[in-house]
Amino acid sequence: MGLLTNLKSSIARAASTLFAEEESKRIGIYGPPNAGKTTLANRIARDWTEHGDAVGPESHVPHETRRARRKENVEIERDGSTVTIDIVDTPGVTTKVDYTEFLEHDMEKDDAVRRSREATEGVAEAMHWLREDVDGVIYVLDSSTDPFTQVNTMLIGIIESQDLPVLILANKIDKEDSSVQRIRNAFPQHETIPLSALEGDNMDEVYDKIAEYFG
């Protein structure tokens, strides 16, 4: 009798595992500082979550995001199907954080030093998420700046070595000096999608690609 009970229990556990709802995939939003990562995260949250709460504050000051922020169970509907993801807005990654760059934004020295320390810790946290805790990457670049930098090359290389799906977004196409082709030339091995997260330009294609890459 005990054997039969154990067998039934094992079958029940196996069935529960087999038909359990699949966990949301964690998609990290990565890129250098001021590329528009938080602006994108906020737009996704506004478009696809019930309350549309912002993921984090947006600012022209570098390193406004100094801790990773996560928005869970974002359901994106495309072509009659739903893709559920958790978006993780990560701090901008750079090789060096200098407190003097914050002084240019009318900060007191003590605030600038504190902010640079927090930003440095945020870079380390972003790298930890990349190596341990994300299932895919949305890589955001400012299309009005040169994408061929040490940081971008390093991060794309790490993403590739982790065998993570990556979608490259050429943001800020609303700027006059934007060049999407410059980003495509820098990373020809990956598809690049143009957008303006601020203005909402080309977001339909972005959502189609998110569903395709991560759904």
Side-chain angles (χ1 to χ4, degrees), residues 66 68 81 83 109 112 117 127 133 151 157 174-175 186 191 193 198-199:
R66 298 183 297 284
S81 61
V83 176
K109 182 177 179 179
R117 183 174 61 251
M127 297 306 295
D133 291 318
V151 167
D174 51 295
K175 288 191 171 184
E191 186 175 16
I193 308 300
L198 180 65
E199 301 294 335

Side-chain angles (χ1 to χ4, degrees), residues 178-197:
S178 165
S179 174
V180 177
Q181 190 58 47
R182 185 164 48 193
I183 294 176
R184 288 176 174 147
N185 292 342
F187 304 104
Q189 71 273 35
H190 297 290
E191 186 175 16
T192 297
I193 308 300
L195 81 152
S196 169

